[in-house]
Amino acid sequence: MSTSSYDYDKPPELYDGLRLHQNENTRGCSPRVIEALAALRPEQIALYPPYKAVVDACAAHFAVTPDRIALTNGLDEGIFATSVACLRPLATGPAEAIVPQPAFEILASNAAVAGARPVEVPPRPDFEFALDEVLAAITPSTRGVFLTNPNNPTGISMPMAAIQTIARRVPKGAVVFVDEAYADFAGATFIPELPDFPNVIVGRTFAKAHGLAGLRVGAILGAPDTLAPIRQAIGVYSVNAAAVVALQAALADEAFVLDYLRQVRESKALVYAMCDRLGVKYWKSDANFVLVRTGGDPRGIATATAARGIYLRDRGSEPGCEGCIRITAGIVEHTRRGLAVLEEVLCAAH
Ligand SMILES: *Cc1c(COP(=O)(O)O)cnc(C)c1O
């Protein structure tokens, strides 16, 4: 797997272009978050953060009891802690972690870091969820199945029934991790099913819809007994005091998120319309980005748009994504700017 495809001419780290390559909220966060951060008092910074109020607010947000949630330093830490706690080597050899492809790269790489063997299941045509292939990949050594719903980089959702089937089939002691980083956009979540599936963990983030990527805050949800060993792998104070007040403020401003969701829908329609006009293949997305098969050399296309200040993500080397770029479809004005440049680059290339 490759985690080093950031070699654009101008590194995005310079923050000098329009970042449509990481699915962030490119407008920012709720003004209430900025107010809450500005109101931080010295003792809030000097003392270790208290968590009860924010965990309660988060639990209310997801309609679960507070014992079924663990806050994490971004969803990334939730994935990492789950990998470390659940994928330890077995007496018989390494644990196996099944990751249907294409997938968020961190899933397989964290499994490897934890000493497990990533088992990558190749995609079906058009990314229809490969349920039978995932079931066939389950062995007595399976300790984790890592799903992303809706998926990244495709934006495609899997049937909730498929998650249930997998959860019923994995061996005792294995977990099914459902990465719901983009569930706010899809409007569907496995969370209400969790009481019936104690071996399933749902991961959420406030980085995408809530615009808190820079503060690093996410959550994992599941049965208290399933979360217990994973909590041990999360730093005691891994969510910092600024993220705590920011998250409480963000959760209190539902209108901000609803406006972003509306813009995402409009932005996706703009991407689809451009693709239809140019006869370019794309996949309808349940997330805040669209996978587009530009054809040709997607890396060259991403480099050409980056030179003009628009960062897109080359996904051409991911399984099933040959010739594809991924574009964030968030703030409408930003989508228009990004598409104007992409269209010119595509027309020049053909
Ligand atoms: C963005 C993303 C994450 C990471 O979320 P953070 O809260 O920023 O760590 C996890 N999973 C997927 C699929 C993502 O796209």
Side-chain angles (χ1 to χ4, degrees):
M1 76 220 91
S2 105
T3 46
S4 58
S5 49
Y6 281 93
D7 39 13
Y8 301 128
D9 279 351
K10 256 191 203 169
E13 283 69 26
L14 293 180
Y15 289 87
D16 61 346
L18 182 51
R19 296 167 54 87
L20 300 182
H21 66 303
Q22 286 204 314
N23 310 333
E24 298 145 322
N25 186 327
T26 50
R27 187 170 60 185
C29 61
S30 159
R32 293 204 207 168
V33 169
I34 301 301
E35 284 163 23
L37 291 173
L40 270 170
R41 296 182 310 279
E43 67 270 23
Q44 285 176 286
I45 291 175
L47 303 180
Y48 290 110
Y51 291 123
K52 184 174 183 324
V54 70
V55 170
D56 287 352
C58 229
H61 175 71
F62 292 121
V64 300
T65 50
D67 59 334
R68 304 183 68 91
I69 188 162
L71 289 184
T72 56
N73 189 277
L75 173 51
D76 281 348
E77 191 193 32
I79 298 166
F80 186 77
T82 303
S83 303
V84 167
C86 301
L87 301 178
R88 294 167 199 268
L90 310 171
T92 49
E96 291 172 1
I98 299 173
V99 187
Q101 298 292 306
F104 187 53
E105 302 93 325
I106 303 290
L107 300 173
S109 80
N110 279 358
V113 167
R117 191 169 76 79
V119 177
E120 304 191 335
V121 174
R124 287 188 190 168
D126 264 334
F127 308 116
E128 184 200 357
F129 187 67
L131 177 61
D132 294 339
E133 295 87 327
V134 170
L135 295 176
I138 294 173
T139 75
S141 298
T142 302
R143 284 297 171 275
V145 180
F146 290 80
L147 308 170
T148 302
N149 192 33
N151 199 14
N152 176 8
T154 63
I156 296 174
S157 296
M158 68 188 63
M160 293 289 171
I163 301 172
Q164 298 178 343
T165 304
I166 294 166
R168 289 193 189 101
R169 290 282 194 91
V170 292
K172 198 169 167 348
V175 295
V176 177
F177 189 94
V178 185
D179 179 326
E180 291 193 353
Y182 300 96
D184 293 297
F185 308 106
T189 171
F190 198 79
I191 293 171
E193 312 294 331
L194 286 172
D196 294 330
F197 292 90
N199 61 349
V200 177
I201 295 161
V202 167
R204 300 287 294 240
T205 179
F206 303 98
K208 309 278 160 58
H210 296 80
L212 302 182
L215 285 171
R216 314 303 301 126
V217 59
I220 53 173
L221 298 97
D225 289 348
T226 310
L227 289 187
I230 302 171
R231 287 185 196 274
Q232 303 293 310
I234 299 170
V236 195
Y237 293 112
S238 76
V239 176
N240 71 58
V244 166
V245 299
L247 179 53
Q248 283 175 267
L251 291 175
D253 191 355
E254 206 185 344
F256 176 86
V257 174
L258 290 177
D259 178 67
Y260 185 57
L261 298 187
R262 181 189 57 72
Q263 298 213 36
V264 166
R265 282 194 295 275
E266 195 175 330
S267 282
K268 287 190 287 193
L270 290 172
V271 177
Y272 303 157
M274 184 203 77
C275 291
D276 287 338
R277 201 166 59 241
L278 301 182
V280 167
K281 163 109 181 144
Y282 61 93
W283 289 267
K284 284 247 165 90
S285 167
D286 289 327
N288 68 337
F289 56 80
V290 182
L291 186 70
V292 176
R293 178 159 279 152
T294 56
D297 165 25
R299 188 165 164 221
I301 287 164
T303 304
T305 62
R308 298 184 50 184
I310 303 292
Y311 300 115
L312 305 176
R313 192 83 193 268
D314 161 26
R315 297 282 70 186
S317 54
E318 297 301 304
C321 304
E322 297 74 24
C324 290
I325 55 115
R326 190 191 66 198
I327 179 170
T328 301
I331 301 302
V332 172
E333 186 223 325
H334 294 171
T335 307
R336 286 190 200 283
R337 269 167 58 196
L339 290 178
V341 168
L342 177 59
E343 181 161 358
E344 284 182 25
V345 166
L346 289 180
C347 291
H350 284 104

